[in-house]
């Protein structure tokens, strides 16, 4: 089972950006955590991060026929990108939304998630653990 994990803009700044909200661990630490979690579940995983909406859309489109499921934290594009929503709907792979912080208890503009409309389940406010929960969900869902 091959899972694509997509992280959106500024997730590469983890550790530096607003540590009170996003924690002190780096993006490299997140990738290591995801790889270890996937290995424990006997899942193949690829991690992709981009600050560019179009690059994320291209990556989602290219996942069709290659991956079995998607875990996505679209970061700020969560709240703006109908293009990412349409791409997820377009390829129809099972997708799970993850946010490190709890988007429902922050500024009101973060409560809208377009990408979430194409996802089967969302894990928010759990930090790195949300990605593990997403992988566990997809493992069960695809088995
Ligand atoms: C985020 C929440 C978004 O609102 C924000 O723009 C991010 C990160 C999260 O993981 O908590 O960049 O997706």
């Amino acid at each position: 089972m091959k899972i694509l994990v997509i992280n959106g803009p500024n997730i590469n700044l983890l550790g530096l950006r607003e540590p009170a909200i996003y924690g002190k661990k780096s993006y490299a630490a997140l990738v290591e955590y995801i790889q270890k979690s996937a290995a424990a579940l006997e899942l193949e995983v690829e991690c992709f991060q981009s600050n560019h909406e179009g690059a994320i859309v291209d990556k989602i489109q290219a996942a069709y026929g290659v991956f079995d499921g998607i875990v996505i934290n679209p970061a700020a594009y969560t709240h703006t990108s109908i293009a990412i929503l349409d791409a997820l709907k377009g390829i129809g792979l099972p997708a799970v939304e993850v946010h490190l912080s709890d988007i429902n208890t922050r500024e009101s503009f973060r409560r809208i998630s377009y990408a979430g409309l194409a996802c089967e389940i969302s894990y928010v406010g759990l930090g790195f653990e949300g990605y593990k929960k997403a992988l566990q969900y997809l493992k069960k869902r695809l088995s």
Side-chain angles (χ1 to χ4, degrees):
M1 256 175 243
K2 283 181 78 175
I3 308 297
L4 174 62
V5 179
I6 298 174
N7 279 290
N10 302 305
I11 300 294
N12 56 316
L13 290 184
L14 281 183
L16 172 69
R17 74 180 289 216
E18 301 180 271
I21 297 174
Y22 299 114
K24 288 184 189 159
K25 290 187 191 155
S26 65
Y27 175 68
L30 175 61
V31 170
E32 200 185 322
Y33 177 88
I34 291 168
Q35 281 166 346
K36 277 190 183 154
S37 304
L41 290 162
E42 296 178 330
L43 292 171
E44 264 183 70
V45 79
E46 179 184 322
C47 293
F48 173 80
Q49 189 278 329
S50 178
N51 295 324
H52 304 278
E53 185 177 15
I56 294 170
V57 170
D58 285 345
K59 192 68 185 178
I60 292 168
Q61 290 186 7
Y64 184 74
V66 177
F67 290 92
D68 302 300
I70 293 181
V71 174
I72 185 162
N73 179 351
Y77 292 138
T78 305
H79 321 296
T80 61
S81 180
I82 296 168
I84 290 175
L85 165 64
D86 285 349
L88 289 169
K89 281 190 166 174
I91 61 158
L93 287 177
V96 178
E97 178 185 25
V98 174
H99 296 284
L100 294 155
S101 66
D102 184 354
I103 54 172
N104 299 309
T105 58
R106 297 179 61 193
E107 302 95 324
S108 58
F109 62 81
R110 293 186 204 273
R111 282 183 211 139
I112 292 172
S113 171
Y114 290 107
L117 297 172
C119 293
E120 296 189 3
I121 190 166
S122 301
Y123 295 103
V124 304
L126 301 173
F128 284 13
E129 203 195 338
Y131 293 85
K132 180 154 79 181
K133 291 211 178 281
L135 292 173
Q136 285 168 342
Y137 174 88
L138 285 174
K139 168 89 186 195
K140 257 196 190 166
R141 161 77 169 76
L142 294 165
S143 294

